Amino acid sequence: MCGIVGYIGHKNATSILLDGLKRLEYRGYDSAGVALLENGDFRVFKEKGKIVEVEKLLSKKKIHSSIGIAHTRWATHGEPSKINAHPHLSFDKRIALVHNGIIENYRILKKNLQSKGFQSISDTDSEVLANLISYYYQNDLEEAVRRALKDINGTYGILVMAKDNPNMIIGARHGSPIVVGIGEKEMFVASDVSAIVTYTKSVIYLDDNEIVAVTQNEYRTTSLSAYTVEKDIQEIDWDIDDITKGGFDHYMLKEIHEQVDTVQNAFRGRLNWDEATAKLGGIPEEVFLTTERVIITACGTSYYSALVGEYLLEELAEIPTEVEYASEFRYRSPIIKKGTVVFVISQSGETADTLAALREAKRKGSKVYGITNVVGSTIARETDGGVYTHAGPEIGVASTKAFTSQITILLLIALSFARRRRMSHQRGLEILRNLVNLPHSIKQILENSNKLKQLAKKHAKSSNMLFLGRHINYPVALEGALKLKEISYIHAEGYPAAEMKHGPIALIDENMPVIVIATDSNILEKVISNIQEVKARKGRVIAIATEGNHSIQELCEDVFYVPKVLDIVSPILNVIPLQLFAYYVAVERGCEVDQPRNLAKSVTVE
Ligand code: G6P
């Protein structure tokens, strides 16, 4: 949610900041801007829309500056416009600031500052913070930031420059990530490493309530109360190639294809064939032995993978499991007793609601374990342990590879519980065998992409679609509908196939495509009956079915076949045709697949 990047060094800051912004654009893209310090003056370039608009502005100027900050915005306060775009200057033009987060008490601060002569020209909460810093600024920028931050309520990841100090950028974090990249006679500061990985792989992550003062050659980290904080330098273990499109038209398509490898990465080194179980070093043995109840909490696509996890844990390990939206969990009074363990799932590891739920669970005395993709992310650091998905950076705003990796990890967790409790060695081996075959099966699905492209062409003009699934594939139906609405703006609903008759069936007519997950399982016959119900109302059924099921063709307008796999593993395969279908529909409709309107990759505000 909003991307920020700063540079101080010996090179041309403009190109480094623009490059960083482009890599961060997936975090928000309604407006963008850059502030550079040149000969003792701020040069600010902002524009509504994508980063390319700012790039156009900058291409007409020759600026000599090696210090600057930049921002790509996902609006919270104030509509997307040039004036509301960041960076914001203080009214007296001494301070420039970029901000990711929300300042809750900005109205009162704004009023106070106005009475002291600091007017605001935008509708944003962030401009108020620039004014507040300027109000406190005498000659110590770090101290001014510290004092201002003590006055505000809310969340922030900020970068600040002062007009009369061309040798320093101050960064601070509370709730929104800040990472410092350490280079040779140059430093980078950003909201996430993708903005800076081209330039350096040595980074430090700020924790909440920490401030960093960065100069060309060094950095100093302190707490909000000015105590020195020593930080470990970490090395990023992925490359720039991981965040380019690699010959694909869109990141989303690349990431869908990457699932052949990412699913494998999720289980690589984690299978114990001797014991027919999984090895998960990040979760203590005691958890597997003593847990009586599991709560999983997450948002968006991660929430749907959690729903699959609920089926897995209950069916394989007989552990009562509840899944809850993190945004609800945090404000409810969740009952967490001895024996309850909480899992949080987050691709980014930064989602504000998931982080708040994690903290709430810890406050209530629970141990919390994470399933995250981003190493070193806040959720990864604040949990008591967990498992990384190792899917590599996911840039497409619509999550794809993260989903299948999360389910793979959930399967390993469920297997670990089950094998210590009730599952036979033989059944454990059967699951492991199914897992290791997955990459091959995923490849097979991807090779048949053309069929999905044709189906997408056929249905791209629809204004509604229904996705049906049952049992462990019900969450897959939800995810299929989410993918479609996120990137193609077609209204879509995911429903448990049998529940359809209690409402959505009223919507079915000859214009309604209904995608039904009808792969082999012990309830396939029930799903077939649901298909009959749709057919009887002239709905146009597209089935996702298991190879070899020829009879289903008689019932459906179209069938997409997936390889045979154990029912409990099937969500990992079944979601892939739905991802591809959504992708091709969106392309067919001319939508901006990687940057769908109003969405952001990582939602670090409430
Ligand atoms: C945003 C993204 C979704 C994602 C959700 C949760 O809404 O657009 O794709 O599923 O956040 O993100 P997380 O990083 O916590 O998995």
Side-chain angles (χ1 to χ4, degrees):
M1 179 113 322
C2 299
I4 60 185
V5 57
Y7 174 77
I8 180 165
H10 51 93
K11 296 185 190 138
N12 174 3
T14 310
S15 54
I16 292 174
L17 293 176
L18 281 173
D19 181 53
L21 279 186
K22 284 183 197 156
R23 303 206 185 282
L24 289 174
E25 198 166 23
Y26 70 95
R27 294 181 69 103
Y29 33 81
D30 63 42
S31 52
V34 173
L36 298 148
L37 250 178
E38 189 188 41
N39 304 327
D41 259 324
F42 282 128
R43 308 284 310 272
V44 180
F45 304 88
K46 337 199 249 189
E47 207 47 272
K48 184 177 166 183
K50 301 269 168 77
I51 283 144
V52 62
E53 303 304 326
V54 179
E55 194 171 21
K56 277 187 212 152
L57 288 180
L58 276 157
S59 67
K60 295 179 200 138
K61 313 274 171 190
K62 281 232 167 340
I63 295 161
H64 299 284
S65 170
S66 47
I67 173 170
I69 56 178
H71 188 272
T72 175
R73 182 168 186 249
W74 186 85
T76 56
H77 289 68
E79 61 166 11
S81 67
K82 183 170 176 170
I83 216 161
N84 287 337
H86 298 220
H88 288 287
L89 293 186
S90 57
F91 190 62
D92 57 11
K93 308 226 173 345
R94 292 196 307 156
I95 296 292
L97 166 137
V98 289
H99 169 224
N100 178 14
I102 292 178
I103 297 165
E104 285 160 8
N105 58 339
Y106 83 103
R107 280 196 195 84
I108 177 100
L109 291 170
K110 190 170 178 174
K111 218 166 152 201
N112 287 343
L113 284 160
Q114 269 164 354
S115 69
K116 294 180 170 93
F118 287 88
Q119 305 304 323
S120 287
I121 53 170
S122 75
D123 306 322
T124 66
D125 51 344
S126 312
E127 187 187 12
V128 175
L129 184 53
N131 275 335
L132 190 60
I133 294 170
S134 184
Y135 170 69
Y136 283 125
Y137 183 48
Q138 282 167 354
N139 49 21
D140 184 341
L141 181 60
E142 193 178 335
E143 184 52 25
V145 171
R146 205 182 301 284
R147 289 189 66 178
L149 293 181
K150 283 185 182 156
D151 288 354
I152 65 167
N153 300 330
T155 55
Y156 53 80
I158 53 166
L159 300 182
V160 186
M161 292 193 297
K163 178 176 156 175
D164 61 3
N165 189 349
N167 303 314
M168 182 174 281
I169 296 175
I170 302 289
R173 111 160 238 174
H174 179 77
S176 299
I178 293 285
V179 57
V180 181
I182 303 156
E184 276 285 310
K185 298 202 175 98
E186 57 184 355
M187 295 281 175
F188 309 82
V189 204
S191 47
D192 75 69
V193 283
S194 48
I196 59 180
V197 70
T198 331
Y199 308 101
T200 178
K201 293 197 164 189
S202 304
V203 298
I204 59 158
Y205 296 97
L206 287 199
D207 283 307
D208 274 354
N209 304 318
E210 288 178 358
I211 295 182
V212 65
V214 180
T215 60
Q216 182 178 347
N217 294 310
E218 55 186 22
Y219 63 90
R220 187 179 63 246
T221 40
T222 51
S223 69
L224 208 49
S225 2
Y227 292 112
T228 301
V229 182
E230 296 298 339
K231 309 287 297 180
D232 289 338
I233 297 178
Q234 308 201 14
E235 293 297 317
I236 301 166
D237 63 355
W238 48 269
D239 242 305
I240 192 67
D241 292 348
D242 294 322
I243 51 171
T244 56
K245 287 186 201 154
F248 287 91
D249 288 345
H250 297 96
Y251 284 112
M252 182 181 177
L253 188 60
K254 177 190 172 220
E255 287 159 6
I256 291 172
H257 279 78
E258 279 175 351
Q259 291 174 112
V260 176
D261 298 317
T262 51
V263 165
Q264 187 154 21
N265 289 345
F267 65 70
R268 194 194 303 278
R270 290 171 168 158
L271 308 185
N272 177 346
W273 289 93
D274 290 341
E275 300 292 331
T277 185
K279 299 181 270 191
L280 299 169
I283 303 175
E285 179 66 17
E286 189 199 337
V287 172
F288 293 119
L289 295 173
T290 59
T291 300
E292 289 163 19
R293 175 172 164 252
V294 166
I295 297 175
I296 318 178
T297 181
C299 302
T301 288
S302 298
Y303 171 81
Y304 292 149
S305 79
L307 289 179
V308 175
E310 179 180 10
Y311 283 91
L312 291 171
L313 283 163
E314 296 199 334
E315 185 142 329
L316 300 183
E318 281 188 355
I319 299 181
T321 304
E322 289 152 50
V323 177
E324 187 147 10
Y325 281 116
S327 52
E328 290 298 315
F329 179 88
R330 61 184 294 189
Y331 290 120
R332 221 165 44 82
S333 290
I335 295 163
I336 298 178
K337 294 198 175 139
K338 200 165 167 278
T340 301
V341 165
V342 174
F343 282 86
V344 291
I345 306 181
S346 173
Q347 186 284 128
S348 63
E350 301 293 349
T351 302
D353 287 321
T354 311
L355 183 57
L358 182 176
R359 289 176 178 160
E360 175 63 10
K362 284 187 105 176
R363 199 181 64 78
K364 295 219 149 167
S366 175
K367 290 279 183 203
V368 183
Y369 297 93
I371 300 173
T372 47
N373 191 34
V374 178
V375 177
S377 57
T378 312
I379 290 176
R381 283 180 292 138
E382 290 201 16
T383 41
D384 296 291
V387 191
Y388 281 120
T389 47
H390 295 313
E394 192 182 64
I395 308 285
V397 167
S399 185
T400 51
K401 62 177 179 174
F403 183 72
T404 45
S405 296
Q406 289 163 353
I407 298 175
T408 307
I409 301 292
L410 285 160
L411 187 57
L412 296 182
I413 293 174
L415 180 64
S416 300
F417 274 110
R419 281 285 295 129
R420 284 166 176 86
R421 292 166 186 235
R422 60 186 295 274
M423 185 188 280
S424 71
H425 189 270
Q426 199 188 354
R427 174 79 167 148
L429 280 182
E430 190 186 11
I431 293 174
L432 293 187
R433 278 193 216 105
N434 268 262
L435 260 177
V436 295
N437 273 336
L438 278 175
H440 178 70
S441 306
I442 294 173
K443 217 172 182 174
Q444 252 177 280
I445 294 176
L446 294 172
E447 279 162 5
N448 285 330
S449 294
N450 251 338
K451 165 99 184 167
L452 293 157
K453 203 171 180 174
Q454 284 157 17
L455 283 174
K457 266 204 169 107
K458 187 165 161 188
H459 295 288
K461 293 206 169 75
S462 306
S463 29
N464 295 289
M465 288 195 208
L466 206 52
F467 288 73
L468 303 179
R470 289 189 81 152
H471 190 246
I472 201 163
N473 280 299
Y474 160 48
V476 177
L478 294 172
E479 174 62 5
L482 178 67
K483 283 293 85 85
L484 189 74
K485 59 189 152 199
E486 277 181 316
I487 58 171
S488 74
Y489 318 135
I490 293 177
H491 170 247
E493 277 192 60
Y495 239 77
E499 186 63 20
M500 169 196 66
K501 59 184 171 289
H502 300 292
I505 200 164
L507 301 172
I508 293 174
D509 60 17
E510 63 280 7
N511 297 318
M512 175 74 108
V514 182
I515 300 183
V516 187
I517 301 160
T519 46
D520 285 3
S521 76
N522 55 10
I523 50 160
L524 179 59
E525 283 313 312
K526 309 276 173 204
V527 178
I528 301 281
S529 307
N530 302 136
I531 291 178
Q532 300 277 22
E533 289 157 10
V534 176
K535 232 188 129 201
R537 273 113 195 136
K538 299 197 167 50
R540 306 174 65 182
V541 179
I542 304 156
I544 309 295
T546 305
E547 264 167 11
N549 181 353
H550 302 297
S551 58
I552 200 162
Q553 285 179 356
E554 289 153 26
L555 294 174
C556 306
E557 186 171 312
D558 285 290
V559 180
F560 184 86
Y561 286 108
V562 292
K564 188 167 178 60
V565 69
L566 272 182
D567 185 29
I568 52 149
V569 182
S570 66
I572 299 172
L573 293 187
N574 292 347
V575 74
I576 295 173
L578 306 189
Q579 295 169 343
L580 283 164
F581 178 73
Y583 171 79
Y584 287 123
V585 170
V587 170
E588 190 63 29
R589 288 166 71 96
C591 299
E592 292 219 40
V593 173
D594 283 330
Q595 295 175 342
R597 70 183 179 211
N598 304 339
L599 297 178
K601 181 72 187 155
S602 173
V603 183
T604 54
V605 293
E606 225 190 295

